[in-house]
Amino acid sequence: MGLVVQKYGGSSVADAEGIKRVAKRVVDAKRNGNQVVVVVSAMGDTTDELIDLAEQVSPMPTGREFDMLLTAGERISMALLAMAIKNLGHEAQSFTGSQAGVITDSVHNKARIIDVTPGRIRTSIDEGNIAIVAGFQGVSQEGKNITTLGRGGSDTTAVALAAALDAEVCEIYTDVDGVFTADPRVVKKAKKIDWISFEDMLELAASGSKVLLHRCVEYARRYNIPIHVRSSFSGLRGTWVSNEPQGDQQVEHAIISGVAHDVSEAKVTVVGVPDKPGEAAAIFRAIANAEVNIDMVVQNVSAATTGLTDISFTLPKAEGRKAIDALERTRSSIGFDSLRYDDQIAKISLVGAGMKTNPGVTAGFFEALSDAGVNIELISTSEIRISVVTRADDVNEAVRAVHTAFGLDSDSDEAVVYGGTGR
Amino acid sequence: MGLVVQKYGGSSVADAEGIKRVAKRVVDAKRNGNQVVVVVSAMGDTTDELIDLAEQVSPMPTGREFDMLLTAGERISMALLAMAIKNLGHEAQSFTGSQAGVITDSVHNKARIIDVTPGRIRTSIDEGNIAIVAGFQGVSQEGKNITTLGRGGSDTTAVALAAALDAEVCEIYTDVDGVFTADPRVVKKAKKIDWISFEDMLELAASGSKVLLHRCVEYARRYNIPIHVRSSFSGLRGTWVSNEPQGDQQVEHAIISGVAHDVSEAKVTVVGVPDKPGEAAAIFRAIANAEVNIDMVVQNVSAATTGLTDISFTLPKAEGRKAIDALERTRSSIGFDSLRYDDQIAKISLVGAGMKTNPGVTAGFFEALSDAGVNIELISTSEIRISVVTRADDVNEAVRAVHTAFGLDSDSDEAVVYGGTGR
């Protein structure tokens, strides 16, 4: 008998009908002979409604009490799901993050999981129950306070539980059919990926793919837990994410896994920086002290006549204000001329382990963009990824051009990548 | 520095404005030099909305999961209240029933408090925080499952915490000004009671007065915790419930505390019961086995010619079906003729420790009802209470007549009872 961890997001349990549909799916997995642990998010807009209430009583809700508030959302959905399952004639018990043994650090609103001690879950499933666990929440090691894991926390809960329980698979149910070779809203011919490696999935997640968050994939890779991303609506086979393809995951090893894009970043350019040792360090120390995460960094070649250079970097738009303020405070000590802030940019990334051994990929990427008339502003590469920054207006055309150029379009005869089931 | 436990009901925290108003009141108590522990119910209709959701996924929601669901309501209100208090510049921490050390038995949906171990609350208030505790909920001693205390559970939480923390007073904030000599919706001239003994309050609660539940008063009497029932809207002094009046609770010892009425009961008559030993016992054993609580019981004088008698009793309407079914199953073994079920009755009770030493009270009660043309169907008495059953249609007139006859009307010169502050 296998152990399966299933995770259902808020859109899958948005109302009573959704909860009943999920209950049937869970019971099916149990009937197929599995032990089943289910991680569930808050219903539909519940979290947003709670945030709205919080903002009505306090201008900047945060910290311990905000976590206490938000965790009410999963409490509701998990109890309702347990009731719906019982109503189908199966035994179910729901558990808070704390009861499930999800131990975190004490950083409220974005805690990290330190340990999972799933004794109560193990007992519950060994007694024949289906165990339902609240996603997104835990309890701090010190102080025993309720914490939340931040964005995408429920996926991480599911993977962490799967690891602690040594599950065969962690199934992430969502409202799309899986991971695609590009965002299907942008590229009509995008294909569902049948299997993808942890490494490529990590790069896609870091480059703007929204289906799985980086942190969840990272956790799964560390504990080698296969993830199966699939739709809670269609029930079709989705995308497997694991170290190696298994069983019927027939995969021709592909050069490119997919094209990701991200329009959530902005570009900051520090103009007229004296080109001498320590200047760049001073700039990025100021940014780091402001707790701003940066992504790509480029330093221009210094103009010989002036001895000055420009440094550009990208960062989440949401942190733009903080970064600019931090830099302005250091302007006199660093001695740069001015700051430019540009939030009309997009990042386009090509991801695939195959590019390590295929020297033509970078050239092909730039040619495709050039042929589409897209100008490149910044470039950054890793072993298995190339990213460029373009104008935000160009993003859709750029993604489509690259997708086609690398033979990823589903109707193309050149589509050798993850031929898969073709569904 | 005193320690005050305050409890706010759902109508006091029905929306963000209500929560902010309560926050101000809590902060006032803290500013007055008290340590403050606040027990809070779920916001307005939250609990009903959760029950509605539960009924959509499961026809008869009950048990462990139902408790898990319902406790989400207090989690939301307590976290919001803590945020609102912080926003006024005071430190506040919210605690679930489990975190607050409210230990119960394992009877889901109507658990009883076994023990309170308020170590975290004590630490929190000693550190200068205002502690907010979720009402209505606890954690079972065995199994560590979340439980709820049933109807009026938040009042009981407050009194139990006040006892465990050795508080000076437990303030129960509600949407009325206190306990009245009769229901003010029925008797316009009802007076707010300034002080009332635990004993009289227990009888009023058992007789239909809704302001405080019997179980909460019982707990307060056992641990001798004075209760102050007052309005969260007006902030005026309300009704003190304690062993003896204290300080400025100027009280003339009264014969009668008040008149209570109850239209939630029904009457069952078992007709034609053989008048021999063991018949009544068999009837009430059948009722008890069906876990139905009965209130008043009357056995008619046996008719000499037939050797048969009738037995009547009252019980909550909600349990009528269960009782009738249980009796029907025993009809052949007991051998009665028929069953009559009547849910058009009302119970009217006169309560006051003074009646022990005033022999005219019973006569006066019956005379007042007779003068008002109200027919009496059943009578039951305790040392400090007389109750009668009448037609439901007569209840308002009966209550007003009795209230006037015993000089309880607020404009009457004969109003000697709890003259009080007369505010």
Side-chain angles (χ1 to χ4, degrees), chain B residues 21 25 173-178 192 230-238 423:
Chain B
R21 191 184 61 240
R25 202 170 283 286
Y173 285 88
T174 178
D175 50 5
V176 295
D177 280 338
K192 194 194 68 187
R230 58 198 304 195
S231 164
S232 73
F233 296 86
S234 74
L236 295 171
R237 174 180 178 145
R423 150 202 116 244

Side-chain angles (χ1 to χ4, degrees), chain A residues 223-244:
Chain A
Y223 294 96
N224 194 20
I225 299 295
I227 296 177
H228 184 186
V229 187
R230 58 199 300 195
S231 164
S232 73
F233 296 86
S234 75
L236 295 173
R237 175 182 179 143
T239 300
W240 283 81
V241 188
S242 63
N243 263 333
E244 293 292 336

Side-chain angles (χ1 to χ4, degrees), chain A residues 3-7 36-40 78 93-103 113 115-123 125 131-138 149 153-172 216 219-220 223 225-226:
Chain A
L3 198 164
V4 175
V5 175
Q6 298 188 327
K7 180 262 172 179
V36 184
V37 175
V38 180
V39 174
V40 67
M78 73 183 189
Q93 289 185 316
S94 67
F95 298 92
T96 63
S98 169
Q99 291 176 333
V102 179
I103 316 292
I113 295 176
D115 195 11
V116 180
T117 53
R120 289 190 69 174
I121 305 298
R122 175 70 73 187
T123 302
I125 57 177
I132 320 288
V133 179
F136 177 66
Q137 59 180 251
L149 307 179
S154 291
D155 287 2
T156 310
T157 303
V159 171
L161 269 172
L165 292 163
D166 200 19
E168 288 188 354
V169 58
C170 179
E171 297 185 337
I172 306 273
C216 152
Y219 209 109
Y223 294 96
I225 299 295

Side-chain angles (χ1 to χ4, degrees), chain B residues 101-300:
Chain B
V102 179
I103 316 292
T104 74
D105 60 22
S106 297
V107 184
H108 284 291
N109 313 148
K110 50 179 181 180
R112 296 194 71 86
I113 296 177
I114 294 174
D115 195 10
V116 180
T117 52
R120 288 189 70 173
I121 305 297
R122 176 69 76 188
T123 302
S124 181
I125 58 178
D126 284 350
E127 286 172 353
N129 298 301
I130 293 166
I132 320 288
V133 179
F136 177 68
Q137 60 179 249
V139 63
S140 66
Q141 194 164 31
E142 292 176 14
K144 305 291 174 214
N145 290 309
I146 305 302
T147 54
T148 64
L149 307 178
R151 201 165 145 256
S154 291
D155 287 3
T156 310
T157 303
V159 170
L161 268 173
L165 292 164
D166 200 19
E168 289 188 352
V169 58
C170 179
E171 297 184 335
I172 307 273
Y173 285 88
T174 178
D175 50 5
V176 295
D177 280 338
V179 182
F180 282 74
T181 52
D183 185 336
R185 287 167 300 183
V186 172
V187 182
K188 292 277 175 292
K189 292 183 169 181
K191 284 180 305 199
K192 194 194 68 187
I193 298 173
D194 198 41
W195 172 86
I196 186 170
S197 69
F198 285 129
E199 284 68 25
D200 281 14
M201 192 64 234
L202 280 173
E203 290 284 2
L204 281 178
S207 305
S209 169
K210 302 269 192 305
V211 185
L212 289 177
L213 285 191
H214 191 274
R215 154 187 204 197
C216 151
V217 182
E218 178 89 55
Y219 208 109
R221 180 175 64 166
R222 194 187 322 152
Y223 293 96
N224 195 19
I225 299 295
I227 296 177
H228 186 186
V229 186
R230 58 198 304 195
S231 164
S232 73
F233 296 86
S234 74
L236 295 171
R237 174 180 178 145
T239 299
W240 282 81
V241 187
S242 63
N243 263 332
E244 294 291 336
Q246 288 160 1
D248 60 347
Q249 294 161 8
Q250 299 294 333
V251 174
E252 295 186 56
H253 258 290
I255 298 174
I256 301 302
S257 286
V259 185
H261 69 276
D262 188 349
V263 293
S264 72
E265 296 194 343
K267 183 174 71 170
V268 172
T269 303
V270 189
V271 180
V273 181
D275 191 5
K276 57 185 187 192
E279 291 296 302
I283 286 171
F284 291 109
R285 173 55 53 204
I287 298 292
N289 287 345
E291 296 195 338
V292 171
N293 292 306
I294 60 170
D295 182 15
M296 299 165 73
V297 179
V298 170
Q299 176 167 347
N300 292 352

